[in-house]
Structure formats: structure tokens, C-alpha cells
Amino acid sequence: MNTSPSSTRTTKNNFQKVLKSRFAWIPRATKYIWIAFFVFSLGLPLYIFTVSIDLFGLYGGMPSLQEVENPENDLSSEIISADSVSLGRYYRGVINRSQVHYSQLSPELINTLKISEDHRFENHSGLDLLAFLRVIKGVLTFSSGSGGGSTLTQQLAKNLYTQNADRNLDGPLAKLGKLPKRVIQKTKEWIISVNLERNFTKQEIMALYLNTCDFGSNAFGIKVAAETYFHKQPDSLNLQESAVLVGMLQAPSFYNPKRNPNNALQKRNEVLYKVYKHGYKIKTLQQFDSIRALPIELNYSVQNQNLGLATYFRTVLGNYLLAYCNNRGIDLYNSGLKIYTTLDSKLQRYAEEAVAEHMKPLQDQFYDEWDKRKRNPWVDEDGHEIKDFLARRIKQTEAYKLLVEKYGENSDSIKILLRLKKPMTVYTTKGERDTLFSTYDSLNYYKRFLQMGMMAMDPTSGHIKAWVGGVDHKYFKFDHVRQGKRQPGSTFKPFIYGLAMEEGYSPSYELRDISPQFKIPGQPPWYPANADGPPKGTGQKMTIRQAMARSVNSVTAQMMQKLGEENVVEFAHRVGIESKLDAVPSLCLGTSDVSLFEMVGAYCTFVNGGINTRPFFITRIEDKNGNVIENFVPKTKEAINEQTAYKMIYMLKGGVEERGGTSQGLPLELREENEIGGKTGTTNDASDGWYMGVTHDLVTGIWVGGDERAIHFPSWEFGQGARSARPIWTKFMTKVYADPTSGIVKGFFKKPSSGLDISLDHGRQPQDSVKQKEEEPWDIRN
């Protein structure tokens, strides 16, 4: 073998040539790598910069900083009770969203969210490089358990981007395909994330994120989600509830605890396991095993205008707010207003409970009584059934009008289609029921339901505390507190006696139970009859306090003659009645229509020392940032002096204290250590029952009757206010007094600071003045 030095050199040179030929690409590759590195180092920032400024409009815009700070497209306006309970919201379409601040989030919710979704949240600046590398590793190794790489800040950025999709934030380059579009969107999310971290604290980012999340079931944002699924505020969510809601963030429908309870339970336990692994709250495996065995305890209720407290009030309030906001250029449905009302949630709940407890059995009795008579409840003034009642009413329905528009008024198709049965869900006193009804069947069915209205008010402040406008808002939209007006019957009498007190009459002033004669031009003389007993009275002598307590029509009519109809109208308007009143003799029987809203406000004048405070229901309105738009103050005026007011309180107490008084049936538990005034009312045609209950700190009015005046009670006795309306007041006040936190307590009416101008037992008996009508001779003829 030749091993000479020259041979060795030749071999070495040949080897070097081989190496050089085989790896000649390395210098060139290195050059290209450096070129790529410099291109990437310079190009990526340049690309991000061009996206951020939307160079030449190629990429599309991004949410502004102002939109980031206030990300809600549709921020619902919230109604808040006087005791700080959320009564409901006004929102457009299906977007029910309300924002919260970080301080309104429970620690369990905050920590569960961070542990499950972004446990380095406090340490990164919007982008988590470690999480990003973990995702890349998972992709390269085909690992399914690598988790996501998005931080909470990035998820917030994504929410902000997608919720501004109606602005079409995509530019021309996004139209090149799904991949370019996704790359550009992801770039924008990174940019927004960095901007979020620069301009907001971690706490603000956390709150913003939870305010923009969709939790399904029409619940947008953590506040509505907590209310929808658990009937709680976010600051009261416990660990298990927080885990359910956090688990829903990845797939709101799939992990919905109402629709997919098994999926939700499994996901909740996965979240709780992460919590256990991080040592938060759950310290041992045994604790985790115990908690994961617990079921999900929902208190589920999707918010809408037909559910929850004060449904009728919310509708009336909404109509007022629409006009209010329109005049000020505010959109009620997406401005995030906070409307602070006078309503008390506890009193409202007791009112609705009392109504339900009384109206259900009353409705059943109403059915039974008319069935016994084998008659329909629609009757005329003479007590005869209105034969064509339904035929006329069907023509007022929307269904009839649509059919006429389609087929013509005289088409036989209308009659056929109106009697065509179809599946329908109907209201019953025991809940909803599925049935087969035609349009005609439905009208016939619903016209047989009794309705009611109820309002309770603080007589001093004018604050409305409870408002029930009907038996069920979903099926009966008409509000019978303010929208409806009916004859008040004998509940109008206090305005006649109030004027008498003002004119100097004493509650002990005596008259006989004899119906006076009223001469009406062009008509026969009119003798107001009592509800029972001889038509023209018994001739019995009684005080006017006893007469009002027993609701004796003849004595009230005599006082009307003495005082004059015009003067009574003026007095009623002065103390709070706003409706037009006819200055006619029959006004003494309450024949002019008024609303329950007016009646309660007017009765409050007596309790409030003669000061009339117009009922009101809003104390203030704030914008979404807590700035006060307007504070509301009650409208007050001195209507009568305090002596007159207190004498009328004494008169109203007669219903409870006088023998034969229409409020003597009130239970002893309400009357003990408590002063109560009350007045029943029933219209002569038995279509309206009223009760006005008065205490030192709450005035409540109740009306019960058919949806229209042609619907009558089976008899006057059945519909009298003491039976149809007063039991609701009894049930309501019993519940209120049983709750020491209600703010309503038993007590005594305030007496005039200057004392009384006459004795309540022996006052002066004034002579008829010149302005009073000449008194007709009393006539006790049969």
C-alpha cells in the first residue's frame, strides 16, 4: 500500500473536494436563512402595522378604543326596585345584555375563570408565548390535550371583533379565501389584545370579557347569565355555579345546563378538577369527589316581559320611557339605562300572591254561578243576555280583520275559518293548557274571565309600592290600574263627604235614610235607591259617618243635594281625580269613570294631611356609566286643610268601627294595635267591585270585574266589593305585616298639628248656604 506523504495529501484533497461539493449549499442556505430572518423581522412588524392602520383599506377597520371600552352593541336598560332588586330589562330583539363592574363579581367566579381559561392571566401582556408554543407542540405531536393558546384578553378581543361584525370590518384581502381572512382576523385580535392591555387594568379586562360573553338562553353577559340560570347576581355565585358558567364559555349550547344537563355536569366537573389541581378552595381529592357528585341546582328563568315581578308595571313604565327617551334622543333598548323605581319588590310579590290566591277561587265560583243559571255573563242594563255579543265582538278581533282583507266582508270563508279548530295553548287558573280552539271558541272562552287591578302607594312620598294590572300579562295585556277606567260606585262617596267636612259638617251630623227626589229636566223625578232594603229608604236616623260606613245611598244623595254637584266635582278634582266628572245627581253613586291610579292618589290626600301628592313611579334615571340623567320629584299641592283631611280619616275608619260597616269583616289580627280606614264600592249593574284600604303608611286600591262592562257578576251580592275585592286587601296586608322587613308597620293616623276645628262627635250643624240647592221635602212613599 502506498502511504507516501504525496499520496496522503492527494486523498485529503479529494475528501475535501467531496465535502465541498456535497455541502456547497450550506453557505447559500445560510444566506437565505438570514435573508428570511431579516424579512420576517422587518416584514411581520410592517404587516402588523399596515393591518393596524388598514393601509389603503385592504384589511378592513377595527373597533375603536371607545368601542372597546363600551363594547355592547345592544346594552339593555334595567329596571331597579326601591329595594335594589332587578325587576327586568328593556332590550331589542333577542339581545338581553347588562354590564357589571369587577367589584360585582364573586371571588369564586374570578378565580375559577382564570384557572380554567388563563392561569397566567396576571402575568402576560395580552399574548401568552408559552401557551402558543404549547399549541404548536400539540399540533406537531397530534396531541388533543394541549389546550388552547388564546388568553382571556385575546378572547375578549375576539368577542369585540365579532360583535362589531355588522360594521363589515373585513377588507378586500379577506375576500381571497378563508385562510387569508382568518389570518387577518387573528392579527387584528392580537393588535386589539395589546391595546387592551395598554389601556385597561387586568380587573377591567376581566369585567369587559364577562360582559361580552354569550351564555345561551338569550343571556348575554355574566349578569344576565347569573340571573337566568341561578336567579342570582354575579357577586353571589358560588364555586359550583361559577364552574357551570365558565364551562359554558367554550360552547354555550352544548354545555347548556338546561338543554344538555349531562354535558354541562361533565364540563363543570372538568373545570372543578382544574380548580382542585391548582389548590383553590378544593384542597383534597376527597373534597373534589364530594363536590363533583353534587347535581347542578338550577333556578332557571329566561327573562321576558311576561315573566317575573310587576309585568304590567313594566309595560306601563316602558311606554312612558319610550316617550321620555325619544324626546331626548336616547335609545331605550341599547343605551344601558338604569331606571330606579319606587316599586318595592317584597310588597309587589305579596300583592301578586294575594291576587292569585283570591282570583283563582273567585273565577271558579264565577263559572259555577253562571252555569247554574244556564246563562252567559254578558248582559245588558236590564239584566237580559246580549244575544249577539260574541258576533259583534268577533268583528273587533285582528283575525276577523285579516280575513276580511283577504276574502272580502261577505265571504262565507270568513265564517268557516273563524270556526276552524286549531291547536292552541290557553290560560287557565291552574296553568296553561293545550287544546283545540277556533277563533270563535277562543273569544267565547276568554270573555268569561274576571280581571282586576291593584295599586299600593305611600301616602306621604307619593311612591307607588305595588302595581298589579291584571291576572296574567301573557294572555291579558290590558292594564287595569291606569289604562282602564270604570265606575267607582260607592268608593266615590268620600269625595262628597270630604266636601261636607270642608263645609263644616261633623261626622255626627244626622240624616234619615230617605231617598231624596232629584228633578231632571225632561225626565221623571229620580230617587236614588239603596243597594238593599226598601227602594226609598227605611226612614232610620243615622249619622253621616254611619251612612258612609254602611254605604247608604240615600244619605249620600241628600248630602249631594246640600252641597251641589259642581262643588263635588271641584272637590274631587282638587284632591286628585283627573278624569272628567259629570256634574249630575247620579254622581253621588259614582257613575263617572275613573282609574284606580287616580282613586289611590286621591285617597292618599286624606292620609297626607290634605297634601295631594300625584302618584309617581321613577326616582331617577342613570346612564350606563352611572351619571344621573334626571332625578324625579313628586308633584304636590295643598288640596284641603289638615282638619278636613283628618275628619275624612275618621269617616273612613267608620267602615271598620261602626256597626254594619262594610269593613267590619276585616280579621282581628289586622285591626289590633292598628287604625284602618276602608271603603267598598259596587256598581248598580254588578259589573265592578272595589275596595279602598287606608292605613297610616300605605293606601291600597283594588278593582275586580269583567274585561268590559257588559260582563257582569252573577248577582250584586256576588260582586259587591266586600266579597270580590276586599279579600285581596286582607291577604295582602296580612302578608305585609307578617314581614318585619317590609317597611310597613301597624300604627295610628297622624292628627292635625293645630288640633281639630270641631269635635268629631258633636260638630256644628250648618244651615244650607245660598250656593246650596234648595232641599226637596223628603218622601218615604213606596
Side-chain angles (χ1 to χ4, degrees), residues 520-541:
I520 303 173
Q523 297 183 29
W526 179 60
Y527 297 88
N530 291 326
D532 51 16
K536 295 185 180 178
T538 63
Q540 178 186 355
K541 201 173 186 180

PDB file of all heavy atoms in Angstrom, residues 520-541:
ATOM      1  N   ILE A 520    -134.940  66.261  37.163  1.00  0.00           N
ATOM      2  CA  ILE A 520    -134.064  66.299  35.993  1.00  0.00           C
ATOM      3  C   ILE A 520    -134.899  66.757  34.811  1.00  0.00           C
ATOM      4  O   ILE A 520    -135.924  66.141  34.497  1.00  0.00           O
ATOM      5  CB  ILE A 520    -133.456  64.914  35.708  1.00  0.00           C
ATOM      6  CG1 ILE A 520    -132.702  64.414  36.951  1.00  0.00           C
ATOM      7  CG2 ILE A 520    -132.529  64.962  34.497  1.00  0.00           C
ATOM      8  CD1 ILE A 520    -132.219  62.991  36.834  1.00  0.00           C
ATOM      9  N   PRO A 521    -134.513  67.862  34.172  1.00  0.00           N
ATOM     10  CA  PRO A 521    -135.307  68.394  33.057  1.00  0.00           C
ATOM     11  C   PRO A 521    -135.570  67.341  31.978  1.00  0.00           C
ATOM     12  O   PRO A 521    -134.647  66.647  31.536  1.00  0.00           O
ATOM     13  CB  PRO A 521    -134.443  69.536  32.512  1.00  0.00           C
ATOM     14  CG  PRO A 521    -133.604  69.951  33.681  1.00  0.00           C
ATOM     15  CD  PRO A 521    -133.336  68.693  34.449  1.00  0.00           C
ATOM     16  N   GLY A 522    -136.834  67.232  31.591  1.00  0.00           N
ATOM     17  CA  GLY A 522    -137.209  66.319  30.529  1.00  0.00           C
ATOM     18  C   GLY A 522    -137.302  64.873  30.941  1.00  0.00           C
ATOM     19  O   GLY A 522    -137.490  63.996  30.086  1.00  0.00           O
ATOM     20  N   GLN A 523    -137.111  64.586  32.247  1.00  0.00           N
ATOM     21  CA  GLN A 523    -137.169  63.213  32.726  1.00  0.00           C
ATOM     22  C   GLN A 523    -138.016  63.141  33.991  1.00  0.00           C
ATOM     23  O   GLN A 523    -138.216  64.146  34.688  1.00  0.00           O
ATOM     24  CB  GLN A 523    -135.757  62.685  33.028  1.00  0.00           C
ATOM     25  CG  GLN A 523    -134.844  62.613  31.816  1.00  0.00           C
ATOM     26  CD  GLN A 523    -133.489  62.018  32.184  1.00  0.00           C
ATOM     27  OE1 GLN A 523    -133.387  61.210  33.112  1.00  0.00           O
ATOM     28  NE2 GLN A 523    -132.465  62.412  31.443  1.00  0.00           N
ATOM     29  N   PRO A 524    -138.493  61.964  34.325  1.00  0.00           N
ATOM     30  CA  PRO A 524    -139.237  61.813  35.584  1.00  0.00           C
ATOM     31  C   PRO A 524    -138.319  62.065  36.774  1.00  0.00           C
ATOM     32  O   PRO A 524    -137.092  61.951  36.663  1.00  0.00           O
ATOM     33  CB  PRO A 524    -139.715  60.359  35.546  1.00  0.00           C
ATOM     34  CG  PRO A 524    -139.544  59.913  34.140  1.00  0.00           C
ATOM     35  CD  PRO A 524    -138.434  60.720  33.564  1.00  0.00           C
ATOM     36  N   PRO A 525    -138.874  62.420  37.924  1.00  0.00           N
ATOM     37  CA  PRO A 525    -138.044  62.598  39.124  1.00  0.00           C
ATOM     38  C   PRO A 525    -137.252  61.320  39.416  1.00  0.00           C
ATOM     39  O   PRO A 525    -137.721  60.212  39.171  1.00  0.00           O
ATOM     40  CB  PRO A 525    -139.063  62.886  40.222  1.00  0.00           C
ATOM     41  CG  PRO A 525    -140.258  63.387  39.508  1.00  0.00           C
ATOM     42  CD  PRO A 525    -140.291  62.671  38.199  1.00  0.00           C
ATOM     43  N   TRP A 526    -136.022  61.518  39.923  1.00  0.00           N
ATOM     44  CA  TRP A 526    -135.149  60.373  40.209  1.00  0.00           C
ATOM     45  C   TRP A 526    -134.943  60.245  41.710  1.00  0.00           C
ATOM     46  O   TRP A 526    -134.622  61.219  42.396  1.00  0.00           O
ATOM     47  CB  TRP A 526    -133.804  60.546  39.507  1.00  0.00           C
ATOM     48  CG  TRP A 526    -132.839  59.424  39.780  1.00  0.00           C
ATOM     49  CD1 TRP A 526    -133.021  58.108  39.494  1.00  0.00           C
ATOM     50  CD2 TRP A 526    -131.546  59.531  40.393  1.00  0.00           C
ATOM     51  NE1 TRP A 526    -131.936  57.377  39.880  1.00  0.00           N
ATOM     52  CE2 TRP A 526    -131.008  58.230  40.434  1.00  0.00           C
ATOM     53  CE3 TRP A 526    -130.799  60.601  40.902  1.00  0.00           C
ATOM     54  CZ2 TRP A 526    -129.757  57.960  40.978  1.00  0.00           C
ATOM     55  CZ3 TRP A 526    -129.550  60.334  41.435  1.00  0.00           C
ATOM     56  CH2 TRP A 526    -129.030  59.018  41.465  1.00  0.00           C
ATOM     57  N   TYR A 527    -135.158  59.037  42.236  1.00  0.00           N
ATOM     58  CA  TYR A 527    -134.949  58.731  43.645  1.00  0.00           C
ATOM     59  C   TYR A 527    -133.823  57.708  43.755  1.00  0.00           C
ATOM     60  O   TYR A 527    -134.024  56.537  43.418  1.00  0.00           O
ATOM     61  CB  TYR A 527    -136.213  58.163  44.281  1.00  0.00           C
ATOM     62  CG  TYR A 527    -137.382  59.110  44.294  1.00  0.00           C
ATOM     63  CD1 TYR A 527    -138.258  59.171  43.218  1.00  0.00           C
ATOM     64  CD2 TYR A 527    -137.614  59.935  45.395  1.00  0.00           C
ATOM     65  CE1 TYR A 527    -139.337  60.038  43.225  1.00  0.00           C
ATOM     66  CE2 TYR A 527    -138.700  60.805  45.416  1.00  0.00           C
ATOM     67  CZ  TYR A 527    -139.550  60.854  44.326  1.00  0.00           C
ATOM     68  OH  TYR A 527    -140.625  61.723  44.351  1.00  0.00           O
ATOM     69  N   PRO A 528    -132.637  58.118  44.173  1.00  0.00           N
ATOM     70  CA  PRO A 528    -131.543  57.153  44.312  1.00  0.00           C
ATOM     71  C   PRO A 528    -131.908  56.049  45.300  1.00  0.00           C
ATOM     72  O   PRO A 528    -132.293  56.340  46.436  1.00  0.00           O
ATOM     73  CB  PRO A 528    -130.372  57.992  44.840  1.00  0.00           C
ATOM     74  CG  PRO A 528    -130.727  59.397  44.504  1.00  0.00           C
ATOM     75  CD  PRO A 528    -132.218  59.476  44.559  1.00  0.00           C
ATOM     76  N   ALA A 529    -131.779  54.806  44.879  1.00  0.00           N
ATOM     77  CA  ALA A 529    -132.162  53.680  45.732  1.00  0.00           C
ATOM     78  C   ALA A 529    -130.942  53.118  46.440  1.00  0.00           C
ATOM     79  O   ALA A 529    -129.815  53.184  45.946  1.00  0.00           O
ATOM     80  CB  ALA A 529    -132.826  52.606  44.892  1.00  0.00           C
ATOM     81  N   ASN A 530    -131.174  52.530  47.602  1.00  0.00           N
ATOM     82  CA  ASN A 530    -130.120  51.826  48.302  1.00  0.00           C
ATOM     83  C   ASN A 530    -129.904  50.464  47.659  1.00  0.00           C
ATOM     84  O   ASN A 530    -130.758  49.963  46.918  1.00  0.00           O
ATOM     85  CB  ASN A 530    -130.470  51.650  49.777  1.00  0.00           C
ATOM     86  CG  ASN A 530    -130.464  52.964  50.528  1.00  0.00           C
ATOM     87  OD1 ASN A 530    -129.673  53.853  50.225  1.00  0.00           O
ATOM     88  ND2 ASN A 530    -131.355  53.111  51.499  1.00  0.00           N
ATOM     89  N   ALA A 531    -128.759  49.861  47.949  1.00  0.00           N
ATOM     90  CA  ALA A 531    -128.458  48.552  47.373  1.00  0.00           C
ATOM     91  C   ALA A 531    -129.394  47.480  47.900  1.00  0.00           C
ATOM     92  O   ALA A 531    -129.702  46.513  47.204  1.00  0.00           O
ATOM     93  CB  ALA A 531    -127.007  48.179  47.670  1.00  0.00           C
ATOM     94  N   ASP A 532    -129.870  47.634  49.142  1.00  0.00           N
ATOM     95  CA  ASP A 532    -130.811  46.681  49.711  1.00  0.00           C
ATOM     96  C   ASP A 532    -131.833  47.435  50.558  1.00  0.00           C
ATOM     97  O   ASP A 532    -131.706  48.641  50.791  1.00  0.00           O
ATOM     98  CB  ASP A 532    -130.084  45.617  50.546  1.00  0.00           C
ATOM     99  CG  ASP A 532    -129.140  46.239  51.562  1.00  0.00           C
ATOM    100  OD1 ASP A 532    -129.258  47.453  51.832  1.00  0.00           O
ATOM    101  OD2 ASP A 532    -128.272  45.516  52.084  1.00  0.00           O
ATOM    102  N   GLY A 533    -132.849  46.752  51.013  1.00  0.00           N
ATOM    103  CA  GLY A 533    -133.903  47.379  51.793  1.00  0.00           C
ATOM    104  C   GLY A 533    -134.923  48.057  50.908  1.00  0.00           C
ATOM    105  O   GLY A 533    -134.894  47.920  49.676  1.00  0.00           O
ATOM    106  N   PRO A 534    -135.855  48.791  51.497  1.00  0.00           N
ATOM    107  CA  PRO A 534    -136.885  49.490  50.707  1.00  0.00           C
ATOM    108  C   PRO A 534    -136.239  50.418  49.684  1.00  0.00           C
ATOM    109  O   PRO A 534    -135.224  51.057  49.965  1.00  0.00           O
ATOM    110  CB  PRO A 534    -137.661  50.274  51.766  1.00  0.00           C
ATOM    111  CG  PRO A 534    -137.405  49.544  53.039  1.00  0.00           C
ATOM    112  CD  PRO A 534    -136.021  49.002  52.938  1.00  0.00           C
ATOM    113  N   PRO A 535    -136.819  50.526  48.503  1.00  0.00           N
ATOM    114  CA  PRO A 535    -136.217  51.341  47.438  1.00  0.00           C
ATOM    115  C   PRO A 535    -135.950  52.778  47.850  1.00  0.00           C
ATOM    116  O   PRO A 535    -134.959  53.369  47.408  1.00  0.00           O
ATOM    117  CB  PRO A 535    -137.253  51.257  46.321  1.00  0.00           C
ATOM    118  CG  PRO A 535    -138.002  50.002  46.582  1.00  0.00           C
ATOM    119  CD  PRO A 535    -138.040  49.847  48.077  1.00  0.00           C
ATOM    120  N   LYS A 536    -136.826  53.345  48.675  1.00  0.00           N
ATOM    121  CA  LYS A 536    -136.653  54.759  49.035  1.00  0.00           C
ATOM    122  C   LYS A 536    -136.220  54.945  50.486  1.00  0.00           C
ATOM    123  O   LYS A 536    -136.335  56.027  51.041  1.00  0.00           O
ATOM    124  CB  LYS A 536    -137.942  55.523  48.767  1.00  0.00           C
ATOM    125  CG  LYS A 536    -138.281  55.570  47.266  1.00  0.00           C
ATOM    126  CD  LYS A 536    -139.487  56.411  46.982  1.00  0.00           C
ATOM    127  CE  LYS A 536    -139.771  56.424  45.478  1.00  0.00           C
ATOM    128  NZ  LYS A 536    -140.988  57.219  45.165  1.00  0.00           N
ATOM    129  N   GLY A 537    -135.686  53.895  51.087  1.00  0.00           N
ATOM    130  CA  GLY A 537    -135.118  54.023  52.405  1.00  0.00           C
ATOM    131  C   GLY A 537    -135.999  53.504  53.509  1.00  0.00           C
ATOM    132  O   GLY A 537    -137.199  53.261  53.336  1.00  0.00           O
ATOM    133  N   THR A 538    -135.393  53.390  54.683  1.00  0.00           N
ATOM    134  CA  THR A 538    -136.086  52.878  55.865  1.00  0.00           C
ATOM    135  C   THR A 538    -136.629  53.981  56.755  1.00  0.00           C
ATOM    136  O   THR A 538    -137.418  53.715  57.650  1.00  0.00           O
ATOM    137  CB  THR A 538    -135.121  52.015  56.692  1.00  0.00           C
ATOM    138  OG1 THR A 538    -134.039  52.830  57.156  1.00  0.00           O
ATOM    139  CG2 THR A 538    -134.572  50.862  55.865  1.00  0.00           C
ATOM    140  N   GLY A 539    -136.144  55.201  56.516  1.00  0.00           N
ATOM    141  CA  GLY A 539    -136.525  56.301  57.391  1.00  0.00           C
ATOM    142  C   GLY A 539    -135.713  56.351  58.669  1.00  0.00           C
ATOM    143  O   GLY A 539    -135.883  57.246  59.501  1.00  0.00           O
ATOM    144  N   GLN A 540    -134.804  55.424  58.854  1.00  0.00           N
ATOM    145  CA  GLN A 540    -133.985  55.364  60.069  1.00  0.00           C
ATOM    146  C   GLN A 540    -133.039  56.543  60.142  1.00  0.00           C
ATOM    147  O   GLN A 540    -132.462  56.969  59.147  1.00  0.00           O
ATOM    148  CB  GLN A 540    -133.192  54.052  60.082  1.00  0.00           C
ATOM    149  CG  GLN A 540    -132.261  53.891  61.272  1.00  0.00           C
ATOM    150  CD  GLN A 540    -131.400  52.637  61.156  1.00  0.00           C
ATOM    151  OE1 GLN A 540    -131.569  51.859  60.229  1.00  0.00           O
ATOM    152  NE2 GLN A 540    -130.499  52.461  62.099  1.00  0.00           N
ATOM    153  N   LYS A 541    -132.859  57.081  61.346  1.00  0.00           N
ATOM    154  CA  LYS A 541    -131.951  58.195  61.563  1.00  0.00           C
ATOM    155  C   LYS A 541    -130.540  57.667  61.794  1.00  0.00           C
ATOM    156  O   LYS A 541    -130.354  56.697  62.522  1.00  0.00           O
ATOM    157  CB  LYS A 541    -132.422  59.014  62.775  1.00  0.00           C
ATOM    158  CG  LYS A 541    -131.904  60.427  62.825  1.00  0.00           C
ATOM    159  CD  LYS A 541    -132.577  61.194  63.961  1.00  0.00           C
ATOM    160  CE  LYS A 541    -132.193  62.665  63.939  1.00  0.00           C
ATOM    161  NZ  LYS A 541    -132.853  63.409  65.056  1.00  0.00           N
TER     162      LYS A 541
END
